[in-house]
Amino acid sequence: MCKSEDFEKCDYRSEGKMGFKFLGRVKKLKSSILKTNAWLLIIRAIVTALVWASAVQLVGIWLIRGPSLFKVCPPCTQLELPAHAELAKLPIPIALPPKRVYKNNGYLMVSCNGGLNQMRAAICDMVAIARYLNVTLIVPELDKNSFWAASEFQDIFDVDHFIASLRDEVRILKELPPRVRKRAVYSLPPISWSNISYYFHQILPLVQKYKVVHLNKTDARLANNGLPLEVQKLRCRVNFHALRFTSQIEEIGRKLVRILREKGPFLALHLRYEMDMLAFSGCSHGCNNDEEEELKRMRYANPLWKIKDINSEMKRLEGLCPLTPEETALVLVALGIDHNVQIYIAAGEIYGGNRRMESLKSAFPNLVRKETLLEPSDLRLFPNHSSQRAALDYLVSLESDIFIPTYDGNMAKVVEGHRRFLGFKKTVLLDRRLLIGLIEQFSSGSLSWDEFSSIVKEAHADRMGSPKKRVSIADKPKEEDYFYSNPHECLQLLDEPLRST
Ligand SMILES: *[C@@H]1O[C@H](CO)[C@@H](O)[C@H](O)[C@H]1NC(C)=O
Ligand SMILES: *[C@@H]1O[C@H](CO)[C@@H](O)[C@H](O)[C@H]1NC(C)=O
Ligand SMILES: *[C@@H]1O[C@H](CO)[C@@H](O)[C@H](O)[C@H]1NC(C)=O
Ligand SMILES: *[C@@H]1O[C@H](CO)[C@@H](O)[C@H](O)[C@H]1NC(C)=O
């Protein structure tokens, strides 16, 4: 299912190994009396090192010059879509940074769990942790058991760019060096939402004792707040610069954006209404009896989904369910979204199919999805790789003129944060609890359409991804704003000062 690609264009690992061999050789030579061929050996080693260094520089420049989808757009304050959308610009090429020299305390292995964007955040955290513990990070292993993902790191991310672009911070290897591979690995799941002092005081001693420590679960991530500024900045650097999708994913992502842009501005709707989401969350509002049964069966059959007995209606009224396609249509119309705009559905297969998409389709006839925009041959490049397809949706969502997620999962949060970084690009953060209440009132006739629409607009006027400080709540990390949805330490602030609400 997960075919790994051939990414041996530039193997930094060999360069590292070479360095070790070279040092070992010098030591041996020092202890023995210089033989006639010793000088020859040293010269050969130095020449090899020089050739490697320049090859790495060249490849690094090539990697960084590669076009990227990222662009910075001026902040948008109106809901109207901009008339002229700029095409992505090439970044200014920069040379590879020099390697950071530090005394290695040991090796950190990491297994990420969860969907693509949960793993993305975890990777950023783990790089920051490895950097401040002065250890060597082994390229993180992606989740292979989760429902949502089943890929290798190099199927999703450009692994050579990841390693090379962070070399001034931390040494990253594709696998453990042979010398330490034989050692027993100490495995543990780190404590959720810890700050960096936990890693200094609890994890570093383990690394020093065992040499190889494996963090086998990473949804237990770094705290949102209370971390040194340089740690926060490094998390951003990994997220926004070092983590780049493979060139194949980037290329198809660019193609999608190009096709959309040719027809004008577009809105990306992260319509989280796939079967797995509904089965997992137990949200079945609007489904028929057979569908409800099917969702329930799927939930009970999955041992990873611990909560089985769920009251869908209660959960919905609390604002804890993704909006249904019908609810979404009402809300988009109420917000005053132009009915002619292209709406890109950034999602997998919508549960219930065309029947559930009817109201959205009749309100917004220009609904498109990657399956309708791309050739089957493009999509065949990503057979059943949910993470790769999610990566395409990520890229299109990032570039969209307006991004609207119908649920606040990890993709919604990480894309929101990335769009803030790209210049506070408009992300409409729906207040689902309020909306469900209003929709109930509107459906029962106690609110007129005009009242409904004006309350919806007013309630979201200040939920557009504009400059704000992250809300922090001591001891309640799950309730405070997530670092990756608003990494305010890393944002280029506009003229106005940060507002704290
Ligand atoms: C990491 O390395 C830096 C620079 O060599 C040093 O100042 C720092 O104390 C080291 N920290 C640890 C935890 O080893
Ligand atoms: C992680 O390691 C701990 C300790 O070795 C073990 O008890 C636990 O089952 C492991 N968790 C996973 C997800 O592998
Ligand atoms: C880090 O966490 C520890 C305990 O987990 C706490 O005592 C300490 O105050 C925290 N430090 C910061 C800067 O928040
Ligand atoms: C891909 O998905 C289709 C439909 O969901 C399924 O029939 C097929 O067996 C899957 N292929 C692989 C290689 O998993």
Side-chain angles (χ1 to χ4, degrees):
M1 204 163 133
C2 328
K3 265 178 256 150
S4 74
E5 289 153 54
D6 195 16
F7 269 92
E8 293 305 315
K9 275 176 239 140
C10 119
D11 190 354
Y12 294 91
R13 189 160 38 92
S14 332
E15 183 210 15
K17 269 195 236 154
M18 225 275 324
F20 278 130
K21 269 188 211 149
F22 178 53
L23 279 177
R25 232 173 248 170
V26 169
K27 261 193 204 151
K28 264 189 222 147
L29 284 170
K30 266 189 187 163
S31 58
S32 65
I33 295 156
L34 280 181
K35 297 251 169 75
T36 37
N37 61 355
W39 282 108
L40 218 63
L41 269 176
I42 293 176
I43 288 163
R44 199 161 58 181
I46 290 171
V47 168
T48 323
L50 282 174
V51 168
W52 260 103
S54 46
V56 166
Q57 290 284 350
L58 279 175
V59 174
I61 290 165
W62 172 80
L63 280 171
I64 284 162
R65 283 184 78 119
S68 156
L69 271 174
F70 302 161
K71 66 158 189 183
V72 176
C73 107
C76 325
T77 44
Q78 303 289 310
L79 250 190
E80 287 83 52
L81 292 154
H84 305 288
E86 279 176 52
L87 278 173
K89 290 198 185 80
L90 291 181
I92 302 157
I94 39 165
L96 264 188
K99 278 185 178 181
R100 175 163 164 258
V101 178
Y102 59 95
K103 186 179 153 287
N104 184 32
N105 286 323
Y107 297 84
L108 188 67
M109 296 171 77
V110 164
S111 296
C112 301
N113 57 300
L116 175 64
N117 293 289
Q118 182 173 318
M119 295 193 289
R120 183 182 183 106
I123 293 166
C124 301
D125 288 354
M126 293 300 144
V127 168
I129 290 161
R131 159 66 176 80
Y132 285 94
L133 298 189
N134 293 351
V135 299
T136 298
L137 179 70
I138 308 303
V139 169
E141 183 193 36
L142 301 191
D143 196 338
K144 299 204 187 60
N145 302 314
S146 151
F147 187 93
W148 289 286
S151 303
E152 306 287 346
F153 188 98
Q154 67 271 18
D155 294 334
I156 306 289
F157 299 111
D158 181 337
V159 66
D160 294 320
H161 173 73
F162 175 69
I163 294 173
S165 66
L166 288 167
R167 54 189 236 147
D168 59 336
E169 298 279 4
V170 62
R171 193 159 71 113
I172 305 176
L173 301 177
K174 288 181 184 168
E175 52 189 44
L176 279 177
R179 277 184 310 115
V180 287
R181 221 173 282 162
K182 291 178 218 86
R183 298 183 73 112
V185 173
Y186 188 89
S187 273
L188 81 164
I191 292 173
S192 297
W193 305 108
S194 299
N195 61 34
I196 200 88
S197 68
Y198 163 79
Y199 290 91
F200 275 127
H201 296 120
Q202 308 289 319
I203 304 296
L204 183 58
L206 293 172
V207 175
Q208 283 162 335
K209 182 166 174 196
Y210 295 98
K211 273 294 163 241
V212 188
V213 164
H214 175 208
L215 299 179
N216 64 8
K217 195 162 179 261
T218 58
D219 60 342
R221 50 209 150 192
L222 269 180
N224 296 311
N225 300 298
L227 298 173
L229 189 60
E230 66 268 21
V231 175
Q232 301 292 50
K233 295 212 159 173
L234 179 54
R235 291 165 104 183
C236 293
R237 186 175 161 197
V238 183
N239 194 13
F240 304 134
H241 299 293
L243 279 180
R244 192 156 77 182
F245 293 121
T246 63
S247 57
Q248 197 178 40
I249 293 174
E250 286 262 339
E251 193 183 309
I252 303 293
R254 267 197 302 276
K255 182 170 176 180
L256 275 169
V257 171
R258 194 172 58 236
I259 296 170
L260 285 158
R261 283 255 178 271
E262 274 165 9
K263 298 204 189 106
F266 66 98
L267 182 156
L269 181 65
H270 184 39
L271 185 61
R272 203 62 181 88
Y273 210 74
E274 300 95 346
M275 184 179 183
D276 59 280
M277 176 65 205
L278 303 180
F280 162 73
S281 65
C283 293
S284 54
H285 182 78
C287 297
N288 62 33
N289 288 344
D290 289 347
E291 289 171 340
E292 274 183 32
E293 279 309 308
E294 187 180 37
L295 294 174
K296 210 164 158 181
R297 271 200 305 278
M298 186 176 184
R299 176 165 69 257
Y300 277 81
N302 191 324
L304 295 174
W305 299 343
K306 301 277 191 268
I307 305 169
K308 304 295 185 189
D309 189 20
I310 297 171
N311 181 333
S312 168
E313 283 312 307
M314 232 155 75
K315 203 168 167 180
R316 172 172 173 265
L317 290 175
E318 285 166 18
L320 299 175
C321 284
L323 294 185
T324 66
E326 295 84 357
E327 289 163 351
T328 304
L330 266 183
V331 169
L332 295 191
V333 178
L335 281 170
I337 302 288
D338 179 353
H339 74 279
N340 279 320
V341 74
Q342 299 177 88
I343 297 188
Y344 176 88
I345 307 289
E349 203 181 323
I350 301 303
Y351 190 57
N354 290 337
R355 179 173 62 80
R356 297 306 300 275
M357 291 300 282
E358 266 167 21
S359 54
L360 201 51
K361 181 96 192 164
S362 70
F364 301 97
N366 291 322
L367 283 189
V368 293
R369 26 189 324 130
K370 52 191 159 318
E371 290 79 6
T372 63
L373 296 175
L374 292 175
E375 310 291 329
S377 59
D378 288 333
L379 283 165
R380 267 201 295 275
L381 295 172
F382 312 114
N384 294 10
H385 273 205
S386 60
S387 286
Q388 291 182 333
R389 293 189 181 210
L392 291 177
D393 284 341
Y394 185 101
L395 289 172
V396 176
S397 299
L398 215 53
E399 285 288 298
S400 62
D401 298 284
I402 300 181
F403 174 59
I404 307 188
T406 59
Y407 186 68
D408 53 3
N410 285 294
M411 156 125 173
K413 288 179 183 157
V414 177
V415 170
E416 176 197 339
H418 204 151
R419 286 173 64 85
R420 285 176 183 276
F421 179 77
L422 296 180
F424 302 99
K425 297 177 82 174
K426 189 175 300 167
T427 300
V428 184
L429 304 165
L430 299 177
D431 181 343
R432 290 192 312 280
R433 190 179 172 143
L434 176 90
L435 285 171
I436 296 299
L438 292 173
I439 289 171
E440 289 294 297
Q441 283 177 279
F442 171 65
S443 327
S444 70
S446 56
L447 268 186
S448 73
W449 172 259
D450 287 346
E451 287 168 323
F452 173 70
S453 172
S454 70
I455 302 175
V456 169
K457 279 189 185 128
E458 201 178 310
H460 292 90
D462 199 27
R463 298 173 65 100
M464 299 277 170
S466 46
K468 265 186 191 138
K469 236 180 143 176
R470 222 169 33 248
V471 174
S472 115
I473 309 174
D475 301 329
K476 291 196 175 154
K478 282 188 183 163
E479 288 169 37
E480 66 188 0
D481 285 349
Y482 185 39
F483 174 78
Y484 291 98
S485 67
N486 186 6
H488 75 237
E489 293 89 338
C490 314
L491 306 180
Q492 182 133 41
L493 295 173
L494 307 170
D495 301 332
E496 54 185 319
L498 277 179
R499 280 170 291 162
S500 57
T501 48

